[in-house]
Amino acid sequence: MITITKVGVIGSGIMGSQIVAHLANAGLDVVLLDMVPEGAAQRDQLALQALERMKKANPAVLTHPRNIKRITIGNIEDDIELLKSCQWIVEAVVEDIEVKRTLYKKIDRVRRPNSIVSSNTSTIPVKALVEGMTKPFQQDFIITHFFNPPRYMPLLEMVTTNRNRKEIEAEMEEFAEKILGKGVVHCKDTPGFIANRIGSFWMTLALRKAIEMDISVEVADAVLSKPFGVPKTGVFGLMDLVGIDLMPKIAKSLLEYLPDNDHFHRVYENFPLVTNMIETGYIGRKGKGGFYRLHTDGDIKEKEAVNLQTGEYAPAKKVNMEIIDQAKKNVRLLLTSDEKASRFAYEVMIPTLAYASRLVPEAADSIDAIDKAMRLGYNWKWGPFQLIDKLSTDTQSGAAWLAEQCTLLGMAVPENISAVGTGHFYHDEGRDIMVFSGPEQYHVQPVPDYGWTLADKKRGAKPLLKNGSASLWDVGDGVVCLEFTSKMNSLDPMVLELIQKSIALVKDQQYKGLIIGNDSDNFCVGANIGVLLFTANVAAWKMVDDVIKQGQSTYQSLKYAPFPVVTAASGMALGGGCEMLLHSDAAVVHMETYTGLVEVGVGIIPGWGGCTEMLVRHQKMRLKEQSTAAALGRMFSRISLVKTVNMMPAITKVFEYIATAKVSTSAEEAKEMGILRDSDKIVMNRQHVLAEAKAKCLALAPNYKAPEPDTLSLPGKTARTALHMGIQQFERRGKATPHDVVVSKALAYVLSGGDTDITKQLSEQQVLDLERAAFLELIQTPASLARLEHMLDVGKPLRN
């Protein structure tokens, strides 16, 4: 893999500054340069403003505030020499070809030999950008098109040409995937590349058809979202998200560079509604609003939608259509219905799928490259060719049906559709996915050793264990993987039962270790509160107690299993999911992991060992801090190392995290919170989490010994008194509701050790018993039951 430790970025606008933040998040040193504004008092003003935006951005562009220290700023007039130390230079300036070429000449004069130069352009081909440049520059120049926002969007479109050095493509792909966490798609040197070309066509056609057919933005987004595996923003919500003002700019470049026979020329027009919205500041979420806006009247906030015919706003209507529910079984039902909304979906999706199918081999070498680009760049669940396969029925393939519809619409049938005929673009063959690559030709979809998913291991295999909420899979080399399959990967008695059975199977059949993970967007949202509420509503307190005991016993079994247990997490890991991280020998997590103990939101406290394990973690962190300080003191005054720990700071910090239901905004912050250890691994690429977890498990397996039980020295009443004073202050300031006070005091009792004092050592089980007792007491209060019901009904905490 190529060695890149320092990157130069030129252009501090929205994309440039966010690319800089992402590079810093990946641990790279970054130089950020921009022009000197005319008449500016501070020559680095633009770069300075970019740093300020990074600090205040919401959602955050930095995974931790300290990452900003990796960024050096300057301007291209005074500081361009800083690029000499960079192995990679990224250009992210305005989409003006002459501006870019002028800049490239300046870069070429100072860059180090063989340093890679790339443009973040979204539309301009390489051949146009490098015209007139030196041969060495052309050899080192590529396009690396990040998608916005770079921290959260995994797609990186990469364009290389036959001018490049042979090794650049493979080396940059590996670097981008492993270090930057990107899913790389190789594109041909064509306008718009892949994702934006298809996405722009889709959005433009949807806008045109919605206006022509008088379809509301709410209906359009309802039918063009979930049924097709598209995010719930749909098409108009997406335009609001990315910025309506970008549409004409992207369209201008596409219209300039696409050949005259490209279908985009036929669907595009300069919509007066869009022009007026841009002129009046309605450019989407970054402006006063867009196709949707939030109307505020005093304390009341109401979502409104624009009328595409009049340009006026009215309260957004919730769309409930039976045909959308029916489409869950087969999306073709939606496209063949007589309903007006279905005809709209048909008029948009049939041409879009046909347009996308024409881009192989024009814009990409393979259909899976097209699909990957739309999955990663637009968050589509299925790419265009996968969607075509989903149009299949028992009697007809999706491709054959699409060919018929193209003919009915007066469109030429795309060559790929004709070539696959009555077949499918994808099919399984044993453990391989076979991808159509030509008439009667298929190739194996490659799966790298460092980037497999659980689906890759499950294909063609049977689970070792399975019930309605979880399953256990052999992932090779003596390692098994436990997968949650319940709704939102929530934890219920069946999950706990399968964990215990999995532990027994690993021991009995002498597997090397266990990893816990899945392919879902979210690792685990916590316990199934529906089950908890049901048992509470029928006053089955013995059953509730049994579930708490079962959970505690299960998590302790994981912690003290005679083999390594590694948790592989991404997305939300809340409540019981967080406790899973706390009770594992090690964790491998995606940078975008949001974890915390959030039980107070439903009127209870962590009951499966979360309180206990957080105390243990923070006791060790505190002891390490004190020992380090004492070791430094010993160098000068022969002070002996500290052997006891002042637990009050640890208790206070744990209380703060749990009482406020704090959730980390990244895996880096989870380490700071003590949920993750310093030794736990953070990876940038979501698809690498399971492979890294398996590697970690195998590394721990030789001569593995389970950890020794921990003891805690807790102050009891003295700590509780201090915590109560803090609770009272929050209550007086109106920041704690009456039931917040009740829950917080119960939490304070547990974290202080109950009726103990600093001279006594408490075992983990004794603190677990305190957790269970407090949980049972709280769950029986009407206020906690109200919080549980409210969370199930509306998905938000009740402030009672």
Side-chain angles (χ1 to χ4, degrees), residues 199 202-203 221 230 233-243 285 378 380:
W202 174 65
M203 290 187 288
D221 283 345
V230 172
T233 53
V235 63
F236 289 100
L238 176 62
M239 287 189 276
D240 279 355
L241 181 63
V242 300
R285 295 188 188 183
Y378 278 74
W380 287 15

Side-chain angles (χ1 to χ4, degrees), residues 349-626:
M349 293 306 299
I350 298 302
T352 297
L353 295 175
Y355 186 78
S357 68
R358 291 189 178 96
L359 297 187
V360 179
E362 180 189 343
D365 284 326
S366 64
I367 68 170
D368 42 336
I370 299 286
D371 284 346
K372 183 178 179 181
M374 293 309 293
R375 291 196 309 269
L376 299 184
Y378 278 74
N379 274 335
W380 287 15
K381 186 175 181 180
W382 309 292
F385 291 96
Q386 291 171 308
L387 269 172
I388 293 171
D389 278 351
K390 289 189 71 65
L391 295 174
S392 302
T393 63
D394 292 339
T395 58
Q396 186 182 37
S397 74
W401 182 77
L402 182 61
E404 291 177 357
Q405 306 317 305
C406 287
T407 301
L408 288 173
L409 290 174
M411 299 165 51
V413 178
E415 289 184 12
N416 282 307
I417 302 297
S418 298
V420 78
T422 58
H424 297 82
F425 287 107
Y426 294 88
H427 69 264
D428 292 352
E429 195 170 287
R431 291 206 167 190
D432 294 324
I433 294 179
M434 307 302 295
V435 186
F436 179 76
S437 53
E440 299 182 6
Q441 294 180 17
Y442 286 81
H443 67 266
V444 176
Q445 189 173 62
V447 178
D449 291 339
Y450 56 81
W452 51 266
T453 65
L454 189 56
D456 294 321
K457 300 296 183 182
K458 290 163 58 175
R459 195 176 303 111
K462 292 183 179 180
L464 301 172
L465 295 171
K466 183 178 181 180
N467 64 21
S469 296
S471 54
L472 186 72
W473 300 88
D474 188 330
V475 293
D477 300 312
V479 178
V480 295
C481 180
L482 178 69
E483 173 192 29
F484 308 145
T485 57
S486 53
K487 184 176 181 180
M488 295 289 287
N489 294 331
S490 59
L491 303 170
D492 57 30
M494 285 197 295
V495 173
L496 300 177
E497 178 186 348
L498 203 77
I499 292 174
Q500 293 283 14
K501 288 183 177 179
S502 298
I503 293 170
L505 183 145
V506 173
K507 286 193 293 187
D508 293 345
Q509 299 191 20
Q510 297 184 334
Y511 281 94
K512 294 177 181 178
L514 167 71
I515 61 175
I516 304 173
N518 51 65
D519 292 338
S520 303
D521 291 337
N522 296 306
F523 171 68
C524 175
V525 297
N528 186 327
I529 60 174
V531 173
L532 183 61
L533 181 61
F534 173 79
T535 53
N537 280 336
V538 297
W541 307 121
K542 174 66 167 60
M543 188 179 298
V544 173
D545 190 26
D546 288 343
V547 171
I548 303 307
K549 286 180 180 177
Q550 182 188 13
Q552 289 187 350
S553 173
T554 300
Y555 280 73
Q556 290 291 292
S557 296
L558 283 173
K559 182 176 180 179
Y560 296 111
F563 50 80
V565 175
V566 179
T567 298
S570 178
M572 290 189 288
L574 306 176
C578 178
E579 288 172 312
M580 198 74 67
L581 289 166
L582 290 167
H583 286 81
S584 302
D585 292 293
V588 174
V589 301
H590 185 217
M591 178 63 85
E592 302 307 327
T593 298
Y594 317 116
T595 183
L597 298 167
V598 297
E599 286 82 355
V600 297
V602 289
I604 53 180
I605 67 166
W608 288 345
C611 296
T612 306
E613 195 59 31
M614 280 291 278
L615 284 171
V616 168
R617 291 281 180 94
H618 279 264
Q619 175 178 260
K620 291 177 179 178
M621 289 168 65
R622 183 65 181 162
L623 184 57
K624 182 179 179 181
E625 291 169 3
Q626 291 184 185

Side-chain angles (χ1 to χ4, degrees), residues 301-317:
K301 294 182 178 180
E302 186 175 32
K303 185 178 182 180
E304 295 183 333
V306 74
N307 185 305
L308 296 175
Q309 308 301 319
T310 66
E312 297 177 352
Y313 286 88
K317 297 178 181 178

Side-chain angles (χ1 to χ4, degrees), residues 205-215 269 309 340 347:
L205 183 58
L207 175 58
R208 179 173 184 151
K209 290 297 179 181
I211 293 173
E212 288 178 356
M213 300 175 68
D214 193 16
I215 298 291
E269 67 177 78
Q309 308 301 319
K340 182 180 177 181
E347 294 276 357

Side-chain angles (χ1 to χ4, degrees), residues 696-736:
K696 182 69 172 179
C697 192
L698 289 170
L700 292 172
N703 304 313
Y704 174 80
K705 291 183 179 179
E708 294 292 326
D710 292 291
T711 59
L712 288 156
S713 298
L714 301 174
K717 188 175 181 180
T718 56
R720 200 152 55 248
T721 300
L723 294 177
H724 283 186
M725 290 174 62
I727 295 169
Q728 289 168 2
Q729 287 181 6
F730 271 85
E731 185 180 22
R732 282 196 295 268
R733 288 155 56 189
K735 293 188 176 182

